[in-house]
């Protein structure tokens, strides 16, 4: 009888330990989902505030010509490694017919010259991809700005009349905002790679960025604000 009681007690302890582990993993999963949702909302805020800025936003005609947009809110400048920079954001592309925007896919950005104005520790980064070649490279795997695609600081204002020759031929136009100051800045040397964890949070299963933004994946409800902001300012792509 005593042996049976000991066996039962051991089984109960194992069950409790297993349940505790499941609860811990479930809580971590919920926190990860919430973090991804918060980043989507912050990315929507970035687009809204930048485009609403009088005479300082991304030129409307350039946004209309872009094929994809990468929005990375709150890129951080790490203190643990001098000059290290890191951020997580999203890439969204035009649908195949040029109308509306795809579901978002996660991206990570690291390193590079981010132009942190007046010593800011966090910077919002926006990139416009202007041709298919740049998109194919970006969606393949790790991608280095300036090496895998030509880049230029994007002009600001209501129109792109201030474009230089470099901007006219760049595959990427890049911008940053720190403490409310918004400007074009060439993010040379920065690397972008897929954020597989964010994609799993959004879609429940591992998915490649190419499958998300170039396929017919349904955008999750948490992405509605970001897609809504992009549609508000540029619902349809203009051919170059």
């Amino acid at each position: 009888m005593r042996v049976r009681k000991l066996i039962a007690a051991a089984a109960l302890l194992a069950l409790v330990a297993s349940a505790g582990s499941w609860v811990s993993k479930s809580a971590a999963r919920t926190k990860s989902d919430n973090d991804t949702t918060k980043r989507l909302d912050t990315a929507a805020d970035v687009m809204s505030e930048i485009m609403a800025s009088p005479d300082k936003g991304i030129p409307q005609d350039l946004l209309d010509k872009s094929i994809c947009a990468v929005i990375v809110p709150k890129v951080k400048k790490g203190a643990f490694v001098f000059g290290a920079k890191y951020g997580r954001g999203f890439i969204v592309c035009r649908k195949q017919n040029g109308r509306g925007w795809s579901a978002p896919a996660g991206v990570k950005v690291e390193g590079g010259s981010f132009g942190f104005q007046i010593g800011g520790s966090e910077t919002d980064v926006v990139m416009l991809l202007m041709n298919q070649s740049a998109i194919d490279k970006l969606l393949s795997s790790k991608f280095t700005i300036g090496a895998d695609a030509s880049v230029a600081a994007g002009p600001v204002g209501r129109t792109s009349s201030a474009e230089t020759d470099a901007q006219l031929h760049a595959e990427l136009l890049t911008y940053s905002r720190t403490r409310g100051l918004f400007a074009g800045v060439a993010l040379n040397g920065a690397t972008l790679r897929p954020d597989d964890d964010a994609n799993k949070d959004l879609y429940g299963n591992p998915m490649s960025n190419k499958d998300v933004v170039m396929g017919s994946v349904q955008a999750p409800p948490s992405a509605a604000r970001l897609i809504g902001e992009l549609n508000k300012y540029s619902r349809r792509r203009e051919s170059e």
Side-chain angles (χ1 to χ4, degrees):
M1 179 66 72
R2 186 177 180 183
V3 172
R4 290 181 179 177
K5 288 183 178 179
L6 288 173
I7 292 174
L12 180 61
L13 286 173
L15 180 62
V16 170
S18 175
S21 175
W22 182 86
V23 170
S24 177
K25 290 179 180 179
S26 179
R29 190 78 191 154
T30 299
K31 183 179 185 299
S32 179
D33 291 347
N34 289 341
D35 288 345
T36 301
T37 297
K38 288 178 181 177
R39 279 198 306 279
L40 279 167
D41 284 338
T42 305
D45 290 339
V46 169
M47 285 304 301
S48 175
E49 293 166 7
I50 285 175
M51 294 307 297
S53 178
D55 300 322
K56 287 292 184 181
I58 295 171
Q60 184 67 54
D61 50 344
L62 288 181
L63 183 59
D64 288 342
K65 290 178 181 178
S66 67
I67 303 176
C68 298
V70 177
I71 305 102
V72 187
K74 297 184 178 180
V75 175
K76 299 183 183 297
K77 183 176 183 180
F80 57 97
V81 178
F82 180 76
K85 303 170 184 73
Y86 174 81
R88 299 175 71 186
F90 305 94
I91 178 171
V92 184
C93 296
R94 305 276 184 180
K95 292 183 177 180
Q96 294 299 314
N97 61 7
R99 298 178 181 179
W101 296 83
S102 72
V107 294
K108 295 179 181 179
V109 59
E110 300 169 344
S113 173
F114 281 78
F116 283 81
Q117 296 102 336
I118 60 175
S121 60
E122 290 187 342
T123 295
D124 300 322
V125 172
V126 177
M127 310 177 203
L128 299 183
L129 283 77
M130 306 306 292
N131 63 36
Q132 191 62 46
S133 175
I135 297 165
D136 292 340
K137 295 171 187 175
L138 174 56
L139 295 178
S140 61
S141 59
K142 182 179 176 181
F143 173 93
T144 302
I145 297 174
D148 294 321
S150 59
V151 60
V156 299
R158 290 305 174 196
T159 69
S160 58
S161 58
E163 280 183 304
T164 65
D165 187 62
Q167 290 165 337
L168 286 169
H169 294 93
E171 294 176 290
L172 281 86
L173 296 175
T174 53
Y175 300 87
S176 70
R177 185 183 67 161
T178 302
R179 297 185 185 178
L181 299 179
F182 177 67
V185 57
L187 310 181
N188 284 300
T191 61
L192 285 85
R193 66 185 72 206
D195 188 341
D196 295 330
D197 291 336
N199 287 348
K200 193 170 183 179
D201 289 341
L202 290 172
Y203 304 107
N205 296 297
M207 295 195 69
S208 72
N209 283 8
K210 184 174 183 179
D211 286 343
V212 173
V213 301
M214 292 297 173
S216 56
V217 174
Q218 182 69 34
S222 56
R225 280 195 60 224
L226 176 58
I227 295 174
E229 288 297 331
L230 288 165
N231 280 329
K232 176 181 177 181
Y233 291 105
S234 185
R235 181 175 293 275
R236 183 174 180 176
R237 181 172 183 251
E238 290 184 4
S239 299
E240 294 185 70

